[in-house]
């Protein structure tokens, strides 16, 4: 999961945000044993369209803390 998180972060850092990498992080996180991380993954899976980094960062906070 931390590698998926790193890939999603790199996509933001490069200004080339790839929804595929964010979707992959959501998919991996939604299967995690920790409830907060699962909820973060489900929230990522429910994002649609253009969204801001601040919204993304708010959602992935439990994942960031683990990684």
């Amino acid at each position: 999961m931390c590698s998926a998180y790193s890939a999603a972060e790199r996509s933001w850092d490069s200004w080339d945000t790839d929804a595929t990498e964010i979707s992959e992080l959501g998919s991996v996180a939604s299967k995690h044993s920790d409830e907060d991380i699962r909820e973060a993954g489900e929230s990522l899976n429910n994002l649609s369209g253009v969204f801001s980094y601040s919204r993304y960062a708010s959602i992935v906070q439990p994942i960031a803390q683990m990684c």
Side-chain angles (χ1 to χ4, degrees):
M1 183 179 60
C2 289
S3 62
Y5 171 71
S6 294
E9 284 293 300
R10 280 192 304 275
S11 75
W12 281 104
D13 290 343
S14 69
W15 295 94
D16 184 26
T17 305
D18 186 347
T20 303
E21 291 163 337
I22 294 167
S23 293
E24 177 65 25
L25 176 58
S27 176
V28 171
S30 65
K31 298 172 187 163
H32 198 273
S33 61
D34 183 273
E35 183 178 352
D36 290 338
I37 292 175
R38 264 196 324 274
E39 287 178 7
E42 291 166 9
S43 293
L44 285 174
N45 289 336
N46 292 328
L47 285 176
S48 61
V50 177
F51 54 93
S52 69
Y53 180 79
S54 62
R55 174 146 183 205
Y56 160 84
S58 173
I59 291 170
V60 300
Q61 187 175 13
I63 299 168
Q65 289 175 347
M66 191 190 97
C67 293

